[in-house]
Amino acid sequence: MGRRERPTPPGLGLVTLALSLLVCASGMEVTVPAVVYALNGSNIRLPCNFQSCYKMETKQFSMNWTYRGCENCTEETFIQYDKKIINQRLERFQNRIEFTGNPSKNDLAVTIHDVQLQDEGEYHCYVLNPPDRHKGTGKIRLEVLTEVPPERDSTVAVLVGASVGGFLAVVILCLVILKCVRRKKMQTLISEDQKTEEEVKTDGEGNPEGELKVCEQ
């Protein structure tokens, strides 16, 4: 089966950026996805990014990745950083795990090649960057799939959305028309009232010329 890289979950970059703005208030911060899905036989990258108030110093910085197959199982270290990358080459992984990050860019990712069903479990990324005294920890749950999950059929959702949108458009149009009709009706009533008031006022005042004519007769 061909080897394929799965993309990093969307939104991870934004989370990393947000954490970087707050990191100096809370010390070391490690950002990882909670769950990563991989297709059996593919390649998968497990991201781990850290943020610290202090610049990464090779002589003091330390990092290690561990694997735990179950909740009560012992954690096994498979990659360390102690002045350089050290791959422990656990028997379970053989030579299938590779460090693909860049510590100087706060990237501590590892890649598992030819993912197997037995690779499922918890992966922990531990980071310490003195003079930060707080050790950062990230935990990823790896789920291995035997087949590609079917794509969701969005046709129904699109139709429902279109129907709802059309209905709302009709309702809004009706409300606008009703409002216009009411406004026009009100304007008509006001005009009629003003006309009536003018007529009443004219009748009350009388016609001076008319009165003179009556008297002359």
Side-chain angles (χ1 to χ4, degrees):
M1 184 180 294
R3 295 179 177 178
R4 289 177 288 178
E5 292 280 354
R6 290 180 65 87
T8 301
L12 183 59
L14 294 177
V15 173
T16 303
L17 178 61
L19 288 175
S20 66
L21 299 176
L22 301 174
V23 68
C24 287
S26 56
M28 170 69 68
E29 292 288 347
V30 174
T31 306
V32 298
V35 182
V36 171
Y37 296 94
L39 186 64
N40 186 32
S42 68
N43 299 339
I44 189 66
R45 192 172 189 268
L46 302 182
C48 177
N49 297 88
F50 72 93
Q51 295 292 334
S52 172
C53 291
Y54 305 98
K55 183 179 178 181
M56 182 262 192
E57 296 290 344
T58 304
K59 294 181 179 180
Q60 297 179 312
F61 180 82
S62 64
M63 173 277 297
N64 61 298
W65 276 91
T66 67
Y67 167 79
R68 185 168 67 177
C70 62
E71 186 175 350
N72 297 322
C73 295
T74 303
E75 288 186 43
E76 301 176 86
T77 299
F78 58 87
I79 280 183
Q80 288 180 298
Y81 186 95
D82 185 8
K83 299 183 179 62
K84 65 178 182 178
I85 295 296
I86 302 172
N87 194 330
Q88 300 290 352
R89 302 189 185 282
L90 295 182
E91 184 178 352
R92 70 165 53 252
F93 296 117
Q94 299 175 358
N95 295 321
R96 294 186 297 110
I97 289 190
E98 175 187 6
F99 182 80
T100 53
N102 186 341
S104 64
K105 294 184 178 181
N106 299 356
D107 181 5
L108 304 175
V110 296
T111 297
I112 305 177
H113 298 281
D114 190 21
V115 174
Q116 304 297 311
L117 292 175
Q118 59 268 26
D119 295 338
E120 279 195 342
E122 292 181 355
Y123 291 79
H124 296 81
C125 177
Y126 297 102
V127 189
L128 182 60
N129 184 45
D132 267 339
R133 292 178 295 178
H134 171 66
K135 176 185 286 188
T137 305
K139 182 175 72 172
I140 302 174
R141 174 71 189 178
L142 176 63
E143 299 284 350
V144 181
L145 307 176
T146 55
E147 59 182 12
V148 178
E151 295 183 0
R152 295 182 178 180
D153 187 0
S154 59
T155 303
V156 175
V158 171
L159 291 176
V160 172
S163 299
V164 173
F167 174 74
L168 291 176
V170 172
V171 171
I172 293 173
L173 180 61
C174 291
L175 291 175
V176 171
I177 293 175
L178 181 61
K179 186 175 181 179
C180 290
V181 171
R182 287 181 176 177
R183 180 175 295 178
K184 187 174 181 180
K185 186 175 180 180
M186 288 296 296
Q187 290 176 346
T188 302
L189 291 175
I190 291 172
S191 298
E192 291 178 352
D193 289 343
Q194 289 177 346
K195 185 178 180 181
T196 302
E197 289 178 0
E198 290 177 357
E199 291 177 351
V200 171
K201 184 176 180 180
T202 302
D203 292 341
E205 292 177 351
N207 190 334
E209 292 183 333
E211 291 179 355
L212 287 174
K213 290 181 179 179
V214 171
C215 292
E216 288 177 356
Q217 293 176 355

